[in-house]
Amino acid sequence: MHRTYSLRNQKTPTASDLQSPPPPPSSTRSKFFGRASIASSFRKNAAGNFGPELARKLSFFIKTEKGVMRALEVVATERRAAARQLSIWGLDNDDDVSDVTDKLGVLIYELGELQDQFIDKYDQYRITMKSIRNIEASVQPSRDRKQKVTDQIAFLKYKDPQSPKIPILEQELVRAEAESLVAEAQLSNITREKLKAAFNYQFDSMRELSEKFALIAGYGKALLELLDDAPVTPGEIRPAYDGYDATRQIIMDAEAALEAWTLEAAAVKPNLSFHQTMDDVYEENEAEEAEKEWADEHDDEQDGEHEEAEISK
């Protein structure tokens, strides 16, 4: 029997891909899975000990996330290998076991493919966090310059209070403070913007991965229902297996469900105890927009009535 290992024979874009195009492949993929632990530890320690002081903590965090991505690569690769082995093992079993394990292998292989896609999206989250680290690094010199001038003024006031350099340094301090003020405001704005964008990206990707995993689990359980697990006595023959069309249809349904999934169709939504649910917030926004549109139309009507009145006069 022909064995299949993937739902992705034609690699057609899914509804989720059309809604939000996938990112480019991650540039941090390891060629040697599971062998980067020492190098990873070295990189993280180096990130925390070198570079601008303001950016060290975030650099350590970003390097740690790189280790998470490497671990995800290992899981995705091993899961695909496990799917192949399951199908190979089932090949020599009875017809029903052989057919069901082959189709289970297809679903498990798809889990690995989805995790592999998640790595690329996870890298985009990590790259976005890097932009915060970069702006932190660019702010550090202005902080250092301001601190240096402040220290020089304090030293001169202690050593030589009448030094003519003090007014010059005080003017330089004013310029340094103004420059630092701009840099700090930029850091504050970019930190909030990029932090929100990065974790929105990650949480949307996690939501997609988890809901697609749940879909695959459901179709996998449907496949298991086609296995006859009733015990037989020695010498008894099980009824002939006729579930090939059913298993094939389950795989086709799974493929269609995965391709049609979008964030708008997500089944799991947060239910906040201290605020409205997500649906309530959306409904409020829609109501506000509708009310605003009605008010605008009402104002237009009143303006039209006033114009007609003026013309009649």
Side-chain angles (χ1 to χ4, degrees):
M1 183 174 61
H2 175 65
R3 315 300 284 181
T4 54
Y5 298 110
S6 175
L7 294 174
R8 302 170 177 274
N9 294 326
Q10 297 181 347
K11 296 288 183 179
T12 55
T14 64
S16 181
D17 291 337
L18 295 174
Q19 182 188 59
S20 178
S26 168
S27 59
T28 61
R29 291 180 181 271
S30 172
K31 296 180 180 178
F32 306 100
F33 297 106
R35 299 182 182 180
S37 57
I38 296 177
S40 177
S41 299
F42 176 78
R43 283 194 300 268
K44 285 188 288 185
N45 291 332
N49 295 327
F50 300 101
E53 183 179 357
L54 181 60
R56 287 179 186 175
K57 292 180 180 178
L58 190 54
S59 293
F60 191 92
F61 169 77
I62 291 168
K63 291 296 182 184
T64 304
E65 288 286 34
K66 188 172 184 178
V68 173
M69 288 176 55
R70 292 284 170 81
L72 291 171
E73 287 181 58
V74 175
V75 173
T77 301
E78 294 299 324
R79 196 182 290 278
R80 288 192 292 257
R84 293 188 183 98
Q85 291 303 314
L86 174 64
S87 185
I88 291 170
W89 166 77
L91 187 60
D92 296 329
N93 280 267
D94 293 339
D95 289 345
D96 57 345
V97 175
S98 176
D99 184 43
V100 169
T101 54
D102 178 46
K103 300 307 186 293
L104 288 174
V106 173
L107 294 181
I108 293 173
Y109 193 93
E110 181 65 13
L111 295 179
E113 290 285 283
L114 290 171
Q115 286 178 302
D116 204 53
Q117 290 181 1
F118 179 71
I119 293 168
D120 297 334
K121 296 177 180 180
Y122 202 91
D123 192 41
Q124 289 298 300
Y125 141 75
R126 194 172 149 273
I127 289 172
T128 308
M129 291 299 294
K130 272 186 173 182
S131 62
I132 303 177
R133 182 204 61 188
N134 294 340
I135 191 68
E136 284 184 343
S138 69
V139 168
Q140 186 69 55
S142 66
R143 285 191 180 185
D144 293 341
R145 188 158 45 251
K146 175 184 172 183
Q147 187 61 47
K148 181 181 178 180
V149 175
T150 302
D151 293 342
Q152 288 176 337
I153 292 173
F155 176 76
L156 283 176
K157 284 185 176 180
Y158 172 76
K159 184 179 179 181
D160 184 9
Q162 305 301 322
S163 173
K165 292 183 179 180
I166 292 178
I168 298 174
L169 288 174
E170 287 178 340
Q171 291 178 2
E172 186 176 344
L173 178 60
V174 171
R175 290 192 294 270
E177 287 178 339
E179 180 184 344
S180 178
L181 194 64
V182 173
E184 295 290 347
Q186 187 181 19
L187 172 62
S188 177
N189 294 336
I190 290 180
T191 296
R192 285 160 175 76
E193 175 191 349
K194 296 299 183 180
L195 180 66
K196 191 172 183 178
F199 277 93
N200 269 326
Y201 203 95
Q202 182 185 169
F203 291 146
D204 284 345
S205 302
M206 290 172 62
R207 196 175 181 190
E208 178 179 359
L209 181 68
S210 59
E211 293 219 358
K212 287 185 175 180
F213 265 44
L215 283 172
I216 289 175
Y219 289 106
K221 288 177 70 67
L223 286 171
L224 294 177
E225 292 300 318
L226 298 173
L227 272 179
D228 180 11
D229 60 348
V232 296
T233 58
E236 183 181 356
I237 299 177
R238 290 186 183 275
Y241 177 67
D242 62 351
Y244 293 107
D245 290 339
T247 58
R248 189 181 303 111
Q249 187 60 48
I250 288 173
I251 294 299
M252 292 171 63
D253 291 344
E255 182 177 12
L258 292 172
E259 288 180 352
W261 188 93
T262 61
L263 277 174
E264 282 76 9
V268 180
K269 295 182 180 180
N271 186 15
L272 304 178
S273 60
F274 61 91
H275 199 275
Q276 301 97 328
T277 64
M278 184 180 292
D279 287 337
D280 291 337
V281 173
Y282 288 155
E283 288 173 2
E284 280 187 2
N285 291 338
E286 291 173 358
E288 290 175 0
E289 291 176 1
E291 184 177 349
K292 184 178 179 182
E293 289 178 1
W294 179 87
D296 292 340
E297 292 176 358
H298 187 64
D299 291 340
D300 292 340
E301 291 176 359
Q302 288 184 337
D303 291 340
E305 291 174 358
H306 290 315
E307 289 177 1
E308 292 176 359
E310 291 293 332
I311 292 173
S312 62
K313 290 180 181 179

